[in-house]
């Protein structure tokens, strides 16, 4: 078990898996940011035949020279629960790429970039099973998935190692708020920031729970 860890600014030269290699086990409440691999899996490389679990993890601003900027699944199954994967970059599969199987629940997978012509920005290959998740790569309305803008408080800028992280909490009115599905581990659990995971009967998608009101820009004039 790897819990509440920062995995940042690592480089895999001429090999795969820039940030962390997962053969099995569980990662919880981790931030995986600005890692790089010349091969596959800038942030995460999944190998081995036993399933690995990532829960309440933020995978942001990672970069791969080949496939899977955020994560690449070489073998086995990578189970993603309430993860946010954003701002990653690869030749193909800017967010995720799989040669095996990805199973995602309550995840947000947006604003990733593929640099190859015709490459998949967010989700490459088809051996995936996402439910109650948010991504333009998923069919809207199927299995509880939404393809709309998650409405982050601040989306961040750029991709890969040049990505400037934003604020990935959800705004009031986000389609991801109270749009997830309850999972057994959520009883008395918290989100990445330490807030109660379930606040209004149903969990939110992504790593953060609760909606944030963001005042609209402009000039406010009060006449009395």
């Amino acid at each position: 078990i790897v819990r509440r860890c920062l995995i940042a600014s690592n480089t895999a030269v001429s090999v795969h898996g820039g940030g962390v290699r997962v053969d099995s086990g569980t990662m919880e409440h981790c931030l995986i940011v600005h890692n790089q691999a010349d091969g596959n899996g800038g942030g995460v490389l999944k190998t081995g035949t036993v399933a690995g679990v990532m829960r309440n993890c933020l995978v942001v601003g990672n970069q791969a020279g080949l496939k899977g900027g955020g994560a690449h699944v070489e073998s086995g199954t990578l189970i993603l629960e309430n993860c946010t994967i954003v701002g990653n970059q690869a030749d193909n599969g800017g967010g995720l790429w799989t040669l095996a199987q990805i199973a995602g629940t309550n995840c947000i997978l947006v604003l990733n970039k593929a640099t190859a012509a015709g490459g998949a920005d967010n989700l490459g290959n088809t051996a995936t099973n996402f439910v109650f998740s948010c991504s333009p790569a998923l069919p809207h309305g199927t299995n509880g998935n939404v393809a709309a803008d998650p409405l982050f408080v601040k989306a961040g800028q750029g991709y890969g190692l040049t990505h400037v992280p934003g604020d990935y909490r959800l705004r009031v009115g986000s389609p991801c708020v109270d749009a997830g599905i309850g999972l057994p581990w959520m009883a008395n659990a918290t989100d990445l920031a330490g807030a109660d995971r379930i606040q209004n009967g149903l969990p939110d998608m992504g790593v953060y729970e609760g909606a944030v009101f963001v005042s609209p820009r402009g000039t406010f004039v009060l006449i009395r």
Side-chain angles (χ1 to χ4, degrees), residues 22-24 46-52 74-77:
V22 179
D23 285 339
S24 61
K46 170 66 180 78
T47 58
T49 58
V50 179
E74 184 177 284
S75 59
T77 299

Side-chain angles (χ1 to χ4, degrees), residues 22 44 46 51-54 71 73 76-80 96 101-104:
V22 179
V44 178
K46 170 66 180 78
V53 179
M54 292 180 61
V73 182
T77 299
L78 181 62
I79 299 171
L80 302 171
L96 300 172
Q101 179 72 36
I102 295 175

Side-chain angles (χ1 to χ4, degrees), residues 161-176:
L161 299 183
T162 62
H163 178 72
V164 179
D167 183 340
Y168 304 111
R169 294 176 298 166
L170 302 173
R171 295 175 182 240
V172 170
S174 166
C176 300

Side-chain angles (χ1 to χ4, degrees), residues 8-15 17-19 34-38 42 161:
S9 302
N10 301 285
T11 300
V13 179
S14 302
V15 291
H34 285 166
N35 302 285
Q36 179 181 16
D38 291 347
L161 299 183

